Amino acid sequence: MNRANNIINSDTPQSTEAVILKAASEVFMERGFDGARMQEIADRAGLNKALLHYYYRSKEKLFNAVFERVLIEMIEGMIQIFEDNLTVFESIRSFFKKHQEILMKNKLLPLFMLNEIQRAPELLIDLYPVDRIQVVRKKFYSDVNNEQHMGIIRKDVDPHDLFLNILSLSVFPFAAKPLLKGFYSMDENDFQSMISHRKENLADFVINAIKA
Amino acid sequence: MNRANNIINSDTPQSTEAVILKAASEVFMERGFDGARMQEIADRAGLNKALLHYYYRSKEKLFNAVFERVLIEMIEGMIQIFEDNLTVFESIRSFFKKHQEILMKNKLLPLFMLNEIQRAPELLIDLYPVDRIQVVRKKFYSDVNNEQHMGIIRKDVDPHDLFLNILSLSVFPFAAKPLLKGFYSMDENDFQSMISHRKENLADFVINAIKA
DNA sequence: GTTTAATTTAACCAACTGGGCAAATAAAAT
DNA sequence: ATTTTATTTGCCCAGTTGGTTAAATTAAAC
Protein backbone atom coordinates (compact mmCIF):
# COMPACT_ATOMS: atom_id res chain seq x y z
CA MET A 1 0.00 0.00 0.00
CA ASN A 2 1.49 3.26 -1.15
CA ARG A 3 0.13 5.74 1.40
CA ALA A 4 -0.21 9.23 -0.05
CA ASN A 5 1.83 11.62 2.00
CA ASN A 6 1.88 14.87 0.08
CA ILE A 7 -0.38 17.79 0.80
CA ILE A 8 -3.75 17.86 -0.91
CA ASN A 9 -3.06 20.83 -3.07
CA SER A 10 0.48 19.84 -3.94
CA ASP A 11 1.30 20.47 -7.57
CA THR A 12 3.16 17.23 -8.24
CA PRO A 13 1.30 14.26 -6.83
CA GLN A 14 2.78 10.91 -7.76
CA SER A 15 0.95 7.84 -6.60
CA THR A 16 -2.43 6.99 -8.07
CA GLU A 17 -3.89 7.19 -4.59
CA ALA A 18 -2.64 10.76 -4.24
CA VAL A 19 -3.91 11.74 -7.67
CA ILE A 20 -7.34 10.47 -6.74
CA LEU A 21 -7.30 12.19 -3.37
CA LYS A 22 -6.35 15.49 -4.95
CA ALA A 23 -9.07 15.31 -7.61
CA ALA A 24 -11.56 14.15 -5.01
CA SER A 25 -10.84 17.00 -2.64
CA GLU A 26 -11.26 19.48 -5.48
CA VAL A 27 -14.61 18.10 -6.54
CA PHE A 28 -15.93 17.54 -3.01
CA MET A 29 -14.93 21.07 -2.01
CA GLU A 30 -16.62 22.62 -5.02
CA ARG A 31 -19.79 20.55 -5.04
CA GLY A 32 -20.11 19.02 -1.59
CA PHE A 33 -20.70 15.33 -0.94
CA ASP A 34 -24.19 15.26 -2.44
CA GLY A 35 -23.28 17.31 -5.47
CA ALA A 36 -20.05 15.46 -6.25
CA ARG A 37 -19.98 12.71 -8.89
CA MET A 38 -17.51 9.85 -8.89
CA GLN A 39 -17.23 10.21 -12.66
CA GLU A 40 -16.16 13.83 -12.38
CA ILE A 41 -13.51 12.90 -9.85
CA ALA A 42 -12.23 10.19 -12.17
CA ASP A 43 -12.22 12.57 -15.14
CA ARG A 44 -10.36 15.22 -13.24
CA ALA A 45 -7.81 12.66 -12.07
CA GLY A 46 -7.51 11.32 -15.62
CA LEU A 47 -8.29 7.82 -14.43
CA ASN A 48 -10.87 5.09 -14.80
CA LYS A 49 -13.80 5.39 -12.44
CA ALA A 50 -13.32 1.82 -11.20
CA LEU A 51 -9.93 2.83 -9.84
CA LEU A 52 -11.59 5.08 -7.31
CA HIS A 53 -13.35 2.04 -5.92
CA TYR A 54 -10.22 -0.07 -6.13
CA TYR A 55 -8.36 2.33 -3.86
CA TYR A 56 -11.14 3.72 -1.69
CA ARG A 57 -13.98 1.17 -1.92
CA SER A 58 -16.85 3.65 -1.84
CA LYS A 59 -17.76 7.30 -2.32
CA GLU A 60 -18.23 7.64 1.42
CA LYS A 61 -14.82 6.19 2.23
CA LEU A 62 -13.17 8.44 -0.34
CA PHE A 63 -14.98 11.41 1.11
CA ASN A 64 -13.91 10.51 4.62
CA ALA A 65 -10.29 10.32 3.50
CA VAL A 66 -10.61 13.81 2.03
CA PHE A 67 -12.47 15.21 4.98
CA GLU A 68 -10.20 13.75 7.64
CA ARG A 69 -7.16 15.24 5.94
CA VAL A 70 -8.75 18.67 5.57
CA LEU A 71 -10.04 18.63 9.13
CA ILE A 72 -6.70 17.73 10.67
CA GLU A 73 -4.84 20.19 8.46
CA MET A 74 -7.16 22.97 9.54
CA ILE A 75 -7.27 22.26 13.25
CA GLU A 76 -3.54 21.61 13.58
CA GLY A 77 -2.93 24.85 11.70
CA MET A 78 -5.14 26.74 14.13
CA ILE A 79 -3.61 25.10 17.15
CA GLN A 80 -0.08 25.94 16.05
CA ILE A 81 -0.98 29.59 15.85
CA PHE A 82 -2.09 29.68 19.46
CA GLU A 83 0.69 27.46 20.80
CA ASP A 84 3.43 30.09 20.96
CA ASN A 85 3.80 31.82 24.26
CA LEU A 86 2.57 35.26 23.38
CA THR A 87 0.43 37.84 25.13
CA VAL A 88 -3.26 37.66 24.27
CA PHE A 89 -3.00 40.71 22.05
CA GLU A 90 -0.02 39.24 20.24
CA SER A 91 -1.82 35.92 19.87
CA ILE A 92 -4.79 37.67 18.34
CA ARG A 93 -2.62 39.55 15.87
CA SER A 94 -0.72 36.44 14.95
CA PHE A 95 -3.90 34.41 14.63
CA PHE A 96 -5.65 36.72 12.19
CA LYS A 97 -2.56 37.13 10.08
CA LYS A 98 -1.79 33.43 9.74
CA HIS A 99 -5.38 32.25 9.63
CA GLN A 100 -6.31 34.63 6.84
CA GLU A 101 -3.33 33.34 4.89
CA ILE A 102 -4.37 29.73 5.38
CA LEU A 103 -7.93 30.45 4.30
CA MET A 104 -6.73 32.53 1.36
CA LYS A 105 -5.01 29.42 0.02
CA ASN A 106 -8.24 27.46 0.16
CA LYS A 107 -11.20 29.76 0.08
CA LEU A 108 -13.74 26.97 -0.22
CA LEU A 109 -12.62 25.25 2.98
CA PRO A 110 -14.84 27.02 5.55
CA LEU A 111 -18.13 26.59 3.73
CA PHE A 112 -17.24 23.04 2.78
CA MET A 113 -16.50 22.02 6.35
CA LEU A 114 -19.47 23.81 7.86
CA ASN A 115 -21.77 22.27 5.35
CA GLU A 116 -20.58 18.70 5.58
CA ILE A 117 -20.64 18.76 9.35
CA GLN A 118 -24.22 19.97 9.17
CA ARG A 119 -25.02 17.12 6.79
CA ALA A 120 -23.29 14.48 8.88
CA PRO A 121 -22.36 15.71 12.37
CA GLU A 122 -20.76 12.37 13.23
CA LEU A 123 -17.90 13.26 10.89
CA LEU A 124 -16.50 15.49 13.59
CA ILE A 125 -16.43 12.99 16.43
CA ASP A 126 -15.61 10.01 14.23
CA LEU A 127 -12.66 11.55 12.47
CA TYR A 128 -11.05 13.71 15.08
CA PRO A 129 -10.13 13.56 18.75
CA VAL A 130 -12.02 16.60 19.94
CA ASP A 131 -9.89 16.85 23.09
CA ARG A 132 -6.96 17.98 20.97
CA ILE A 133 -8.48 21.44 20.51
CA GLN A 134 -9.74 21.69 24.09
CA VAL A 135 -6.18 22.05 25.37
CA VAL A 136 -5.48 25.12 23.29
CA ARG A 137 -8.83 26.67 24.07
CA LYS A 138 -8.35 26.20 27.78
CA LYS A 139 -4.89 27.77 27.58
CA PHE A 140 -6.34 30.75 25.73
CA TYR A 141 -9.07 31.09 28.33
CA SER A 142 -6.64 31.13 31.24
CA ASP A 143 -4.34 33.58 29.42
CA VAL A 144 -7.32 35.90 29.01
CA ASN A 145 -8.24 35.49 32.67
CA ASN A 146 -4.71 36.35 33.75
CA GLU A 147 -4.63 39.50 31.69
CA GLN A 148 -8.04 40.46 33.03
CA HIS A 149 -6.62 40.33 36.56
CA MET A 150 -3.61 42.34 35.38
CA GLY A 151 -5.98 45.05 34.13
CA ILE A 152 -5.06 44.62 30.47
CA ILE A 153 -8.33 43.12 29.30
CA ARG A 154 -11.78 44.29 30.35
CA LYS A 155 -13.28 42.21 33.17
CA ASP A 156 -16.62 41.74 31.44
CA VAL A 157 -15.09 39.91 28.48
CA ASP A 158 -16.11 36.26 28.36
CA PRO A 159 -13.17 34.24 26.95
CA HIS A 160 -15.59 31.77 25.42
CA ASP A 161 -17.37 34.55 23.54
CA LEU A 162 -14.11 36.19 22.59
CA PHE A 163 -12.87 32.98 20.99
CA LEU A 164 -16.06 32.60 18.99
CA ASN A 165 -15.97 36.25 17.94
CA ILE A 166 -12.43 35.93 16.67
CA LEU A 167 -13.38 32.83 14.72
CA SER A 168 -16.48 34.52 13.30
CA LEU A 169 -14.58 37.54 12.09
CA SER A 170 -11.89 35.40 10.53
CA VAL A 171 -13.98 32.75 8.85
CA PHE A 172 -17.29 34.30 7.87
CA PRO A 173 -16.13 36.41 4.92
CA PHE A 174 -14.80 33.27 3.26
CA ALA A 175 -17.96 31.30 3.87
CA ALA A 176 -19.97 34.23 2.55
CA LYS A 177 -17.71 34.97 -0.41
CA PRO A 178 -20.27 34.34 -3.16
CA LEU A 179 -22.82 36.38 -1.24
CA LEU A 180 -20.42 39.30 -0.81
CA LYS A 181 -19.50 39.11 -4.46
CA GLY A 182 -23.17 39.51 -5.29
CA PHE A 183 -24.09 42.20 -2.82
CA TYR A 184 -20.95 44.29 -3.00
CA SER A 185 -20.51 43.43 -6.69
CA MET A 186 -16.90 42.51 -6.11
CA ASP A 187 -14.68 40.44 -8.38
CA GLU A 188 -11.91 38.06 -7.31
CA ASN A 189 -9.37 40.89 -6.99
CA ASP A 190 -11.65 43.04 -4.88
CA PHE A 191 -12.16 40.10 -2.56
CA GLN A 192 -8.45 39.48 -2.22
CA SER A 193 -7.64 43.09 -1.41
CA MET A 194 -10.48 43.16 1.08
CA ILE A 195 -8.96 40.17 2.86
CA SER A 196 -5.44 41.59 2.97
CA HIS A 197 -6.96 44.79 4.28
CA ARG A 198 -8.78 42.85 7.00
CA LYS A 199 -5.70 40.78 7.79
CA GLU A 200 -4.19 43.99 9.18
CA ASN A 201 -7.25 45.56 10.76
CA LEU A 202 -9.22 42.75 12.35
CA ALA A 203 -6.80 42.46 15.27
CA ASP A 204 -7.15 46.18 16.04
CA PHE A 205 -10.91 45.83 15.96
CA VAL A 206 -10.87 43.01 18.48
CA ILE A 207 -8.20 44.49 20.70
CA ASN A 208 -10.06 47.78 20.92
CA ALA A 209 -13.17 45.82 21.83
CA ILE A 210 -11.59 44.04 24.77
CA LYS A 211 -8.82 46.29 26.14
CA ALA A 212 -9.45 47.65 29.63
CA MET B 1 -54.19 29.91 -9.48
CA ASN B 2 -54.31 30.03 -5.72
CA ARG B 3 -51.09 31.91 -4.90
CA ALA B 4 -49.75 30.93 -1.47
CA ASN B 5 -49.51 33.97 0.69
CA ASN B 6 -48.76 32.72 4.15
CA ILE B 7 -45.31 32.72 5.65
CA ILE B 8 -43.22 29.63 5.04
CA ASN B 9 -43.25 28.45 8.61
CA SER B 10 -46.89 29.25 9.26
CA ASP B 11 -48.63 26.57 11.27
CA THR B 12 -51.86 26.43 9.30
CA PRO B 13 -51.19 26.33 5.58
CA GLN B 14 -54.28 25.79 3.49
CA SER B 15 -53.79 25.54 -0.24
CA THR B 16 -51.96 22.57 -1.70
CA GLU B 17 -49.42 24.96 -3.16
CA ALA B 18 -48.67 26.30 0.31
CA VAL B 19 -48.42 22.83 1.81
CA ILE B 20 -45.90 21.88 -0.84
CA LEU B 21 -43.91 25.05 -0.38
CA LYS B 22 -43.73 24.53 3.36
CA ALA B 23 -42.59 20.92 3.07
CA ALA B 24 -40.15 21.88 0.33
CA SER B 25 -38.55 24.63 2.33
CA GLU B 26 -38.09 22.28 5.25
CA VAL B 27 -36.42 19.61 3.18
CA PHE B 28 -34.32 21.99 1.10
CA MET B 29 -33.11 23.77 4.23
CA GLU B 30 -32.14 20.54 5.94
CA ARG B 31 -30.55 18.79 2.98
CA GLY B 32 -29.72 21.46 0.43
CA PHE B 33 -30.72 21.30 -3.23
CA ASP B 34 -28.50 18.34 -4.07
CA GLY B 35 -29.39 16.38 -0.97
CA ALA B 36 -33.14 17.00 -1.18
CA ARG B 37 -35.43 14.38 -2.72
CA MET B 38 -38.76 15.15 -4.33
CA GLN B 39 -40.20 12.02 -2.72
CA GLU B 40 -39.28 13.24 0.76
CA ILE B 41 -40.94 16.57 0.08
CA ALA B 42 -44.08 14.80 -1.10
CA ASP B 43 -44.07 12.51 1.94
CA ARG B 44 -43.65 15.39 4.34
CA ALA B 45 -46.46 17.27 2.63
CA GLY B 46 -48.62 14.14 2.70
CA LEU B 47 -49.18 14.37 -1.05
CA ASN B 48 -48.47 12.47 -4.20
CA LYS B 49 -45.11 13.24 -5.78
CA ALA B 50 -46.70 14.06 -9.12
CA LEU B 51 -48.49 16.96 -7.46
CA LEU B 52 -45.18 18.71 -6.90
CA HIS B 53 -44.67 18.72 -10.63
CA TYR B 54 -48.25 19.69 -11.29
CA TYR B 55 -47.82 22.87 -9.26
CA TYR B 56 -44.14 23.65 -9.73
CA ARG B 57 -43.11 21.81 -12.90
CA SER B 58 -39.59 20.87 -11.78
CA LYS B 59 -37.35 20.47 -8.77
CA GLU B 60 -35.43 23.56 -9.83
CA LYS B 61 -38.57 25.70 -10.12
CA LEU B 62 -39.79 24.49 -6.73
CA PHE B 63 -36.40 25.27 -5.25
CA ASN B 64 -36.41 28.74 -6.77
CA ALA B 65 -39.82 29.43 -5.26
CA VAL B 66 -38.49 28.44 -1.85
CA PHE B 67 -35.25 30.32 -2.23
CA GLU B 68 -36.78 33.53 -3.52
CA ARG B 69 -39.15 33.63 -0.58
CA VAL B 70 -36.44 32.99 1.97
CA LEU B 71 -34.10 35.50 0.35
CA ILE B 72 -36.65 38.30 0.30
CA GLU B 73 -37.82 37.54 3.83
CA MET B 74 -34.26 37.72 5.09
CA ILE B 75 -33.15 40.82 3.26
CA GLU B 76 -36.33 42.76 3.97
CA GLY B 77 -35.99 41.81 7.61
CA MET B 78 -32.45 43.12 7.72
CA ILE B 79 -33.35 46.29 5.89
CA GLN B 80 -36.20 47.04 8.27
CA ILE B 81 -33.86 46.89 11.22
CA PHE B 82 -31.60 49.55 9.76
CA GLU B 83 -34.36 51.75 8.43
CA ASP B 84 -35.32 53.48 11.68
CA ASN B 85 -33.61 56.76 12.32
CA LEU B 86 -31.33 55.79 15.17
CA THR B 87 -27.77 56.65 16.11
CA VAL B 88 -25.17 54.16 14.89
CA PHE B 89 -24.78 52.67 18.35
CA GLU B 90 -28.53 52.31 18.71
CA SER B 91 -28.75 50.76 15.25
CA ILE B 92 -26.09 48.23 16.17
CA ARG B 93 -27.87 47.30 19.39
CA SER B 94 -31.19 47.01 17.63
CA PHE B 95 -29.68 45.02 14.78
CA PHE B 96 -28.09 42.33 16.92
CA LYS B 97 -31.17 41.97 19.06
CA LYS B 98 -33.62 41.60 16.22
CA HIS B 99 -31.32 39.71 13.90
CA GLN B 100 -30.47 37.09 16.51
CA GLU B 101 -34.19 36.62 17.09
CA ILE B 102 -34.86 36.14 13.39
CA LEU B 103 -32.04 33.62 13.05
CA MET B 104 -33.13 31.84 16.22
CA LYS B 105 -36.45 31.13 14.54
CA ASN B 106 -34.71 29.52 11.59
CA LYS B 107 -31.29 28.34 12.55
CA LEU B 108 -30.64 26.57 9.27
CA LEU B 109 -31.16 29.68 7.18
CA PRO B 110 -27.61 31.09 7.11
CA LEU B 111 -25.83 27.92 6.11
CA PHE B 112 -28.55 27.10 3.61
CA MET B 113 -28.31 30.44 1.87
CA LEU B 114 -24.53 30.59 1.90
CA ASN B 115 -24.31 27.12 0.48
CA GLU B 116 -26.86 27.47 -2.28
CA ILE B 117 -25.39 30.74 -3.44
CA GLN B 118 -22.00 29.05 -3.61
CA ARG B 119 -23.57 26.25 -5.66
CA ALA B 120 -25.42 28.57 -8.01
CA PRO B 121 -24.31 32.22 -7.69
CA GLU B 122 -26.83 33.32 -10.31
CA LEU B 123 -29.59 32.71 -7.75
CA LEU B 124 -28.69 36.00 -6.16
CA ILE B 125 -28.88 38.22 -9.21
CA ASP B 126 -31.73 36.32 -10.83
CA LEU B 127 -34.04 36.34 -7.86
CA TYR B 128 -33.37 39.65 -6.18
CA PRO B 129 -32.82 43.29 -7.13
CA VAL B 130 -29.45 43.84 -5.50
CA ASP B 131 -29.92 47.62 -5.50
CA ARG B 132 -32.52 47.25 -2.77
CA ILE B 133 -29.88 46.56 -0.15
CA GLN B 134 -27.42 49.16 -1.47
CA VAL B 135 -29.65 51.97 -0.26
CA VAL B 136 -29.57 50.82 3.34
CA ARG B 137 -25.86 50.14 3.25
CA LYS B 138 -25.12 53.57 1.87
CA LYS B 139 -27.25 55.16 4.57
CA PHE B 140 -25.37 53.22 7.24
CA TYR B 141 -22.06 54.28 5.73
CA SER B 142 -22.93 57.98 5.76
CA ASP B 143 -24.30 57.71 9.30
CA VAL B 144 -20.99 56.25 10.39
CA ASN B 145 -19.10 58.98 8.55
CA ASN B 146 -21.14 61.67 10.28
CA GLU B 147 -20.50 60.26 13.72
CA GLN B 148 -16.82 59.98 12.90
CA HIS B 149 -16.75 63.72 12.18
CA MET B 150 -18.66 64.30 15.41
CA GLY B 151 -15.95 62.41 17.30
CA ILE B 152 -18.23 59.60 18.42
CA ILE B 153 -16.70 56.85 16.28
CA ARG B 154 -12.99 56.32 15.73
CA LYS B 155 -11.73 57.85 12.51
CA ASP B 156 -9.87 54.73 11.37
CA VAL B 157 -13.05 52.63 11.24
CA ASP B 158 -13.96 51.62 7.70
CA PRO B 159 -17.79 51.51 7.45
CA HIS B 160 -17.54 48.76 4.86
CA ASP B 161 -15.49 46.60 7.23
CA LEU B 162 -17.71 47.45 10.15
CA PHE B 163 -20.78 46.28 8.29
CA LEU B 164 -19.11 43.00 7.40
CA ASN B 165 -17.88 42.52 10.97
CA ILE B 166 -21.34 43.02 12.37
CA LEU B 167 -22.73 40.50 9.90
CA SER B 168 -19.96 38.02 10.69
CA LEU B 169 -20.53 38.20 14.43
CA SER B 170 -24.28 37.84 14.01
CA VAL B 171 -24.43 35.07 11.44
CA PHE B 172 -21.40 32.86 11.90
CA PRO B 173 -22.43 31.06 15.09
CA PHE B 174 -25.58 29.85 13.34
CA ALA B 175 -23.72 28.67 10.28
CA ALA B 176 -21.22 26.92 12.53
CA LYS B 177 -23.77 25.48 14.90
CA PRO B 178 -23.02 21.80 14.29
CA LEU B 179 -19.30 22.54 14.55
CA LEU B 180 -19.72 24.37 17.83
CA LYS B 181 -21.89 21.57 19.17
CA GLY B 182 -19.04 19.20 18.42
CA PHE B 183 -16.15 21.27 19.69
CA TYR B 184 -17.80 22.79 22.73
CA SER B 185 -19.90 19.67 23.25
CA MET B 186 -23.03 21.74 23.61
CA ASP B 187 -26.60 20.53 23.28
CA GLU B 188 -29.56 22.47 21.88
CA ASN B 189 -30.17 24.26 25.19
CA ASP B 190 -26.55 25.32 25.59
CA PHE B 191 -26.66 26.76 22.09
CA GLN B 192 -29.82 28.71 22.80
CA SER B 193 -28.52 30.22 26.01
CA MET B 194 -25.27 31.10 24.26
CA ILE B 195 -27.23 33.00 21.64
CA SER B 196 -29.36 34.90 24.14
CA HIS B 197 -26.17 35.74 25.99
CA ARG B 198 -24.61 37.04 22.78
CA LYS B 199 -27.76 38.93 21.84
CA GLU B 200 -27.00 41.22 24.77
CA ASN B 201 -23.22 41.37 24.55
CA LEU B 202 -22.36 41.52 20.87
CA ALA B 203 -23.37 45.16 20.60
CA ASP B 204 -21.09 46.12 23.50
CA PHE B 205 -18.24 44.26 21.85
CA VAL B 206 -18.65 46.16 18.58
CA ILE B 207 -19.32 49.53 20.19
CA ASN B 208 -16.20 49.24 22.33
CA ALA B 209 -14.27 48.36 19.20
CA ILE B 210 -15.29 51.49 17.32
CA LYS B 211 -15.99 54.22 19.87
CA ALA B 212 -13.59 57.17 19.76
C1' DG C 1 -78.35 16.75 -13.22
C1' DT C 2 -74.98 17.03 -16.65
C1' DT C 3 -71.10 18.83 -18.62
C1' DT C 4 -66.70 20.87 -18.07
C1' DA C 5 -62.61 22.03 -15.84
C1' DA C 6 -59.36 21.44 -12.05
C1' DT C 7 -57.08 18.40 -8.92
C1' DT C 8 -55.15 14.02 -7.42
C1' DT C 9 -53.49 9.38 -8.01
C1' DA C 10 -51.05 5.20 -9.60
C1' DA C 11 -48.11 3.31 -12.69
C1' DC C 12 -44.46 3.91 -15.48
C1' DC C 13 -40.00 5.52 -17.74
C1' DA C 14 -35.46 7.10 -19.19
C1' DA C 15 -31.31 8.85 -17.39
C1' DC C 16 -28.06 8.85 -13.98
C1' DT C 17 -25.24 7.00 -10.24
C1' DG C 18 -22.52 4.27 -7.23
C1' DG C 19 -20.63 0.12 -7.50
C1' DG C 20 -19.08 -4.77 -9.13
C1' DC C 21 -16.50 -7.99 -12.01
C1' DA C 22 -13.87 -10.53 -15.17
C1' DA C 23 -10.46 -9.86 -18.40
C1' DA C 24 -6.23 -7.41 -19.63
C1' DT C 25 -2.01 -5.31 -18.66
C1' DA C 26 2.05 -4.15 -15.95
C1' DA C 27 5.24 -5.04 -12.16
C1' DA C 28 7.59 -8.08 -8.87
C1' DA C 29 9.16 -12.23 -7.30
C1' DT C 30 11.06 -16.67 -8.23
C1' DA D 1 11.47 -17.02 -18.44
C1' DT D 2 7.61 -17.93 -15.75
C1' DT D 3 4.72 -17.53 -12.10
C1' DT D 4 2.54 -14.53 -9.00
C1' DT D 5 0.82 -10.34 -7.52
C1' DA D 6 -0.73 -5.62 -8.15
C1' DT D 7 -2.86 -2.27 -11.08
C1' DT D 8 -5.93 -0.74 -14.71
C1' DT D 9 -9.65 -1.07 -18.00
C1' DG D 10 -14.22 -1.87 -20.28
C1' DC D 11 -18.53 -3.35 -19.58
C1' DC D 12 -22.31 -4.22 -17.06
C1' DC D 13 -26.00 -3.76 -13.31
C1' DA D 14 -29.40 -2.69 -9.92
C1' DG D 15 -31.27 1.06 -7.36
C1' DT D 16 -32.53 5.71 -7.30
C1' DT D 17 -34.23 10.01 -9.13
C1' DG D 18 -36.72 13.62 -11.49
C1' DG D 19 -40.26 13.66 -14.41
C1' DT D 20 -44.48 12.05 -17.49
C1' DT D 21 -49.06 10.46 -18.55
C1' DA D 22 -53.48 8.56 -18.68
C1' DA D 23 -57.03 7.52 -15.83
C1' DA D 24 -59.75 8.57 -11.65
C1' DT D 25 -61.76 11.74 -8.61
C1' DT D 26 -63.46 16.07 -7.09
C1' DA D 27 -65.18 20.69 -7.69
C1' DA D 28 -67.29 24.28 -10.60
C1' DA D 29 -70.18 25.91 -14.19
C1' DC D 30 -74.33 25.52 -16.68
Side-chain angles (χ1 to χ4, degrees):
Chain A
M1 189 82 88
N2 198 348
R3 209 71 178 75
N5 282 320
N6 35 350
I7 306 159
I8 280 176
N9 283 327
S10 161
D11 288 326
T12 52
Q14 288 108 347
S15 72
T16 305
E17 249 186 312
V19 173
I20 293 174
L21 203 64
K22 182 172 182 290
S25 46
E26 281 178 23
V27 175
F28 279 132
M29 291 249 197
E30 286 171 26
R31 311 221 187 270
F33 179 83
D34 289 326
R37 296 290 167 256
M38 293 297 268
Q39 189 57 59
E40 189 180 354
I41 295 174
D43 290 347
R44 218 178 282 200
L47 298 168
N48 190 292
K49 182 165 71 83
L51 267 187
L52 310 190
H53 290 95
Y54 178 76
Y55 282 103
Y56 292 94
R57 299 198 30 123
S58 72
K59 185 185 182 185
E60 221 163 4
K61 294 259 174 59
L62 176 54
F63 176 83
N64 283 352
V66 168
F67 191 83
E68 188 175 15
R69 191 168 274 249
V70 167
L71 186 68
I72 290 176
E73 220 171 74
M74 206 205 61
I75 296 182
E76 293 300 330
M78 274 185 47
I79 288 178
Q80 261 191 320
I81 297 174
F82 272 120
E83 241 161 17
D84 302 329
N85 251 5
L86 304 172
T87 66
V88 172
F89 289 179
E90 284 168 345
S91 290
I92 291 173
R93 267 185 216 291
S94 153
F95 175 81
F96 278 124
K97 202 159 188 298
K98 292 186 189 161
H99 200 226
Q100 295 298 102
E101 273 160 20
I102 291 176
L103 295 180
M104 201 51 141
K105 277 182 201 144
N106 195 346
K107 307 188 187 80
L108 295 176
L109 200 137
L111 195 49
F112 168 71
M113 294 240 332
L114 261 29
N115 206 49
E116 298 305 327
I117 292 172
Q118 145 77 17
R119 181 182 61 85
E122 67 275 12
L123 285 173
L124 206 56
I125 27 180
D126 286 0
L127 298 179
Y128 197 82
V130 181
D131 320 330
R132 186 78 180 80
I133 212 173
Q134 304 297 61
V135 184
V136 188
R137 245 184 46 226
K138 293 284 159 62
K139 182 186 174 298
F140 179 73
Y141 290 179
S142 76
D143 285 353
V144 171
N145 275 326
N146 282 339
E147 299 202 7
Q148 285 180 316
H149 287 302
M150 292 164 67
I152 300 173
I153 294 176
R154 289 194 11 245
K155 291 265 199 300
D156 64 338
V157 170
D158 176 1
H160 188 283
D161 270 356
L162 175 58
F163 192 80
L164 180 53
N165 289 348
I166 290 172
L167 210 61
S168 304
L169 292 168
S170 195
V171 172
F172 181 78
F174 288 92
K177 190 185 152 206
L179 188 86
L180 298 178
K181 276 188 168 180
F183 277 162
Y184 293 78
S185 39
M186 305 192 307
D187 61 15
E188 199 60 39
N189 284 335
D190 295 335
F191 183 79
Q192 278 192 10
S193 59
M194 189 195 75
I195 295 299
S196 29
H197 180 244
R198 285 172 71 78
K199 190 163 63 177
E200 309 296 331
N201 297 341
L202 275 177
D204 289 324
F205 185 85
V206 172
I207 289 170
N208 275 320
I210 63 171
K211 72 171 178 227
Chain B
M1 191 83 91
N2 199 348
R3 207 72 178 78
N5 280 320
N6 34 349
I7 307 160
I8 280 178
N9 284 327
S10 162
D11 288 324
T12 53
Q14 288 106 349
S15 71
T16 305
E17 249 186 310
V19 173
I20 293 174
L21 204 64
K22 181 172 182 291
S25 46
E26 282 178 23
V27 175
F28 280 132
M29 291 250 196
E30 286 171 26
R31 312 224 187 268
F33 180 83
D34 289 326
R37 297 289 167 258
M38 295 296 269
Q39 189 58 58
E40 187 180 355
I41 296 174
D43 290 349
R44 218 178 283 201
L47 297 169
N48 190 290
K49 182 166 70 85
L51 267 187
L52 309 191
H53 290 96
Y54 178 75
Y55 281 104
Y56 292 95
R57 297 194 36 116
S58 71
K59 185 184 183 186
E60 221 163 3
K61 295 259 175 59
L62 176 54
F63 175 84
N64 284 352
V66 168
F67 191 83
E68 187 176 13
R69 193 168 273 251
V70 167
L71 186 68
I72 290 176
E73 219 171 73
M74 207 207 60
I75 296 182
E76 293 299 330
M78 274 184 48
I79 288 178
Q80 261 191 318
I81 298 173
F82 273 120
E83 239 163 17
D84 301 330
N85 251 4
L86 304 171
T87 66
V88 172
F89 289 179
E90 284 167 347
S91 289
I92 291 173
R93 269 185 215 291
S94 154
F95 175 80
F96 278 123
K97 201 159 189 297
K98 291 185 189 162
H99 200 227
Q100 296 298 100
E101 274 160 19
I102 291 176
L103 295 180
M104 201 51 142
K105 276 181 203 146
N106 195 346
K107 308 186 185 81
L108 295 176
L109 201 137
L111 195 48
F112 168 72
M113 295 239 333
L114 261 29
N115 206 50
E116 298 305 326
I117 293 173
Q118 145 77 18
R119 181 183 61 86
E122 68 275 10
L123 284 172
L124 207 56
I125 28 180
D126 285 2
L127 297 179
Y128 198 81
V130 182
D131 320 330
R132 186 78 181 81
I133 212 172
Q134 304 298 61
V135 184
V136 189
R137 246 184 43 226
K138 292 287 160 58
K139 182 186 175 299
F140 180 73
Y141 291 178
S142 76
D143 285 354
V144 172
N145 276 326
N146 281 340
E147 299 201 7
Q148 285 178 316
H149 287 302
M150 291 165 69
I152 299 173
I153 295 176
R154 288 190 16 243
K155 291 264 199 300
D156 63 339
V157 171
D158 178 359
H160 187 284
D161 271 355
L162 175 59
F163 192 80
L164 182 53
N165 289 348
I166 290 171
L167 210 61
S168 305
L169 292 167
S170 194
V171 173
F172 180 79
F174 288 92
K177 190 185 153 205
L179 188 86
L180 298 178
K181 277 187 167 178
F183 277 163
Y184 295 79
S185 38
M186 306 190 307
D187 62 14
E188 199 60 38
N189 284 334
D190 295 336
F191 183 79
Q192 278 193 10
S193 59
M194 189 195 76
I195 295 298
S196 29
H197 181 245
R198 287 172 69 78
K199 190 163 63 178
E200 308 297 332
N201 297 340
L202 276 177
D204 289 324
F205 185 84
V206 172
I207 290 171
N208 276 319
I210 64 172
K211 72 172 178 225

